């Protein structure tokens, strides 16, 4: 996997090291073991079967993490914990992480796997559109689902000199953006190019049994 990531332009040594360390197969259904280290998004075994959620492609995880320009002292917010793989990579890089997921089943799955691997991020079951005001401000924010426009709560909870990495677009066409907040609070967007594989960010929160809570 490391060689493929390097060939695709990932050159942040800390990202490559973290991704070589975190066992991706533990975040997947065992039936996908043989494909766990290929560059694929794979459907997760739990969640809502009508709109299956996926573990992000390794290259997507590497690219977004590299875009975050992580320092081990960073406080980071992730929207869309999913199975917890991206969260594990961030924890492995030494950051203080808070991650939000709207499916309770996925939230609980991630808690179990991350705990078993010895990572202790703050995991929140709720709606990422609200961010995590209790823990704000964040040096870095990563959104792992796509949205039409950056949610205002997230740009608000970004620290001065912080960076938000977010896929913006609709179901068919998305671009990865970095939004940098200057010391005076002004924001600047940089387009890092087209991407297509993100599931949409949705507002309603779902209980373990699939009931819509909000
Ligand atoms: N970070 C994951 C990617 C999971 S896919 C990984 O490492 O593979 C994106 C996730 O975003 C899905 O699990 C989906 O349920 C979640 N999501 C979508 N809308 C959300 C919202 N409003 N708040 C929190 N999570 C959300």
């Amino acid at each position: 996997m490391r060689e493929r990531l390097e060939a695709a332009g990932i050159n942040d040594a800390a990202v490559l090291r973290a991704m070589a360390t975190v066992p991706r197969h533990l975040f997947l259904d065992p039936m996908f073991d043989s494909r766990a280290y290929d560059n694929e998004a794979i459907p997760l075994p739990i969640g809502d079967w009508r709109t299956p959620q996926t573990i992000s492609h390794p290259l997507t995880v590497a690219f977004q993490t590299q875009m975050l320009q992580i320092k081990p002292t960073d406080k980071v917010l992730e929207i869309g914990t999913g199975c917890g793989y991206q969260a594990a990579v961030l924890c492995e890089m030494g950051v203080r992480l808070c991650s939000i997921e709207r499916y309770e089943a996925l939230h609980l799955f991630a808690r179990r796997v991350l705990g078993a691997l010895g990572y202790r991020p703050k995991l929140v079951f709720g709606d990422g559109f609200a961010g995590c005001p209790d823990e704000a401000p964040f040096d870095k924010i990563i959104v792992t689902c796509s949205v039409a426009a950056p949610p205002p709560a997230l740009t608000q909870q970004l620290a001065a000199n912080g960076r938000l990495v977010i896929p913006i677009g609709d179901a068919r066409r998305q671009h990865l953006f970095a939004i940098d907040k200057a010391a005076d609070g002004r924001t600047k967007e940089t387009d890092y190019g087209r991407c297509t594989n993100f599931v949409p960010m949705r507002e309603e929160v779902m209980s373990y049994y699939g009931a819509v809570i909000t």
Side-chain angles (χ1 to χ4, degrees), residues 14-28:
V15 174
L16 291 166
R17 200 177 321 114
M19 289 192 60
T21 308
V22 175
R24 189 170 187 257
H25 68 277
L26 295 184
F27 294 86
L28 299 171

Side-chain angles (χ1 to χ4, degrees), residues 44 53-56 61 78-87 100-103 106 126-129 144-145 199-203:
L44 296 177
Q53 307 303 304
T54 52
I55 182 171
S56 294
V61 172
E78 178 189 26
I79 308 300
T81 315
C83 59
Y85 177 66
Q86 170 77 71
I100 308 177
E101 171 57 51
R102 66 176 276 265
Y103 276 116
L106 284 174
D127 178 9
F129 277 99
T144 68
C145 38
V199 301
M201 186 164 173
R202 293 175 194 276
E203 274 181 53

Side-chain angles (χ1 to χ4, degrees), residues 28-175:
L28 299 171
D29 188 301
M31 97 192 234
F32 292 115
D33 266 3
S34 64
R35 288 157 58 186
Y37 297 92
D38 294 344
N39 193 34
E40 283 189 85
I42 294 175
L44 296 177
I46 44 180
D48 182 346
W49 289 108
R50 288 159 300 179
T51 54
Q53 307 303 304
T54 52
I55 182 171
S56 294
H57 286 62
L59 185 54
T60 305
V61 172
F63 195 71
Q64 279 196 293
T65 312
Q66 178 161 285
M67 279 176 72
L68 283 174
Q69 301 169 355
I70 291 292
K71 293 201 257 344
T73 50
D74 281 342
K75 189 169 187 185
V76 182
L77 173 65
E78 178 189 26
I79 308 300
T81 315
C83 59
Y85 177 66
Q86 170 77 71
V89 170
L90 288 167
C91 290
E92 187 59 43
M93 294 174 80
V95 308
R96 260 185 308 155
L97 178 69
C98 172
S99 182
I100 308 177
E101 171 57 51
R102 66 176 276 265
Y103 276 116
E104 192 172 25
L106 284 174
H107 160 76
L108 294 172
F109 175 89
R111 180 178 296 280
R112 186 155 51 81
V113 182
L114 289 168
L117 288 170
Y119 301 122
R120 298 274 179 271
K122 174 171 176 156
L123 296 177
V124 177
F125 165 50
D127 178 9
F129 277 99
C132 190
D134 295 352
E135 298 284 335
F138 297 96
D139 303 301
K140 309 284 163 63
I141 301 180
I142 172 171
V143 181
T144 68
C145 38
S146 72
V147 65
L154 300 188
T155 40
Q156 231 166 48
Q157 289 172 28
L158 191 61
N161 303 313
R163 173 168 261 215
L164 163 64
V165 170
I166 182 165
I168 295 179
D170 54 29
R172 272 182 306 156
R173 202 182 163 82
Q174 303 152 11
H175 278 236

